[in-house]
Amino acid sequence: MQTLIFSIIGGLFAFVPALVANPGAVVAGGYGKIDFGKNFVDGKRILGDGKTISGYVGGILIGTVIGFIILEIMNYLNFAIKGYVPVTLLLVSLFLAWGSLTGDMIGSFIKRRINMKRGQRGNLLDMWPFVIFAFLFLWIAEPHFFFALYGNFIDIVIILVITPFLHRGVNILAYKMHRKDVPW
Ligand code: CTP
Ligand code: MG
């Protein structure tokens, strides 16, 4: 029972790279529209002004670095993970952050297709794509790590359930700090 609880909490901590990438993109964002301001075949923006190259790259870097530090500490303490070499943990962190912001971009792509404006509240479309793609990227890049931590799928369900709350909290904070125009 105790081992299970530790492994569940460990899985949550190991997901930090994906979680940090989003606020990282808010901080680093603003320069160079990923879709170059262009429209899709439906005449609507491909992604919109909210998806920038500096946000994408900067968010991935910030998520990767912060996540790597956390994973290294966990590994050092034998907390949920042990015996991983640094390069593996760096890749785990990179792919979680990369998958996270790629999923975030796909969420925006879908939002534009269904007529939702940039920054319009997308509810689960603002939250689940980044979680799903972070896990997908990790699963493809580091399957051993993925199954060691998330093989029982408990953490995946917990993360899907708690991200809407986390997301809301973080966005209210970003709004108060004038990093976002709307509190969601
Ligand atoms: N951001 C960015 N580049 C990214 C992701 C995010 O520059 N790849 C920045 C933008 O300033 C964006 C903010 O982070 O406005 C918040 O991100 P998000 O909520 O994902 O974008 P929205 O502006 O809400 O746009 P969308 O409707 O497309 O989700
Ligand atoms: Mg948004």
Side-chain angles (χ1 to χ4, degrees):
M1 188 63 195
Q2 228 190 355
T3 341
L4 179 67
I5 291 170
F6 269 113
S7 99
I8 290 174
I9 296 172
L12 298 180
F13 273 100
F15 197 66
V16 162
L19 296 174
V20 169
N22 286 286
V26 177
V27 172
Y31 306 96
K33 293 165 191 163
I34 296 178
D35 67 3
F36 297 108
K38 294 205 183 325
N39 291 343
F40 195 56
V41 290
D42 56 8
K44 294 169 213 150
R45 279 291 291 279
I46 303 175
L47 299 171
D49 290 343
K51 303 296 115 148
T52 64
I53 296 168
S54 69
Y56 188 70
V57 175
I60 291 171
L61 285 178
I62 293 169
T64 301
V65 170
I66 293 177
F68 176 63
I69 293 168
I70 288 176
L71 286 166
E72 276 294 337
I73 294 171
M74 288 172 67
N75 196 52
Y76 178 76
L77 299 174
N78 289 347
F79 178 58
I81 56 173
K82 66 175 178 188
Y84 283 97
V85 292
V87 65
T88 304
L89 297 182
L90 190 63
L91 286 174
V92 164
S93 197
L94 170 67
F95 278 89
L96 279 170
W98 188 1
S100 172
L101 286 183
T102 304
D104 169 67
M105 196 163 73
I106 289 166
S108 291
F109 178 77
I110 298 171
K111 281 174 78 177
R112 297 302 87 81
R113 303 290 70 73
I114 58 173
N115 248 334
M116 295 177 106
K117 298 226 168 341
R118 177 252 172 119
Q120 189 176 335
R121 204 169 184 163
N123 295 315
L124 289 185
L125 267 179
D126 285 331
M127 311 166 214
W128 279 8
F130 91 79
V131 175
I132 292 164
F133 277 84
F135 280 124
L136 194 67
F137 273 41
L138 179 66
W139 173 54
I140 292 167
E142 292 290 341
H144 178 269
F145 187 98
F146 175 83
F147 284 109
L149 266 94
Y150 303 111
N152 61 22
F153 292 95
I154 296 174
D155 275 296
I156 298 183
V157 173
I158 293 176
I159 289 169
L160 284 172
V161 172
I162 64 173
T163 25
F165 299 99
L166 270 181
H167 191 270
R168 184 96 182 101
V170 168
N171 284 341
I172 290 173
L173 200 69
Y175 172 71
K176 293 221 160 108
M177 290 167 67
H178 304 286
R179 297 294 319 187
K180 286 197 61 155
D181 296 336
V182 287
W184 57 80

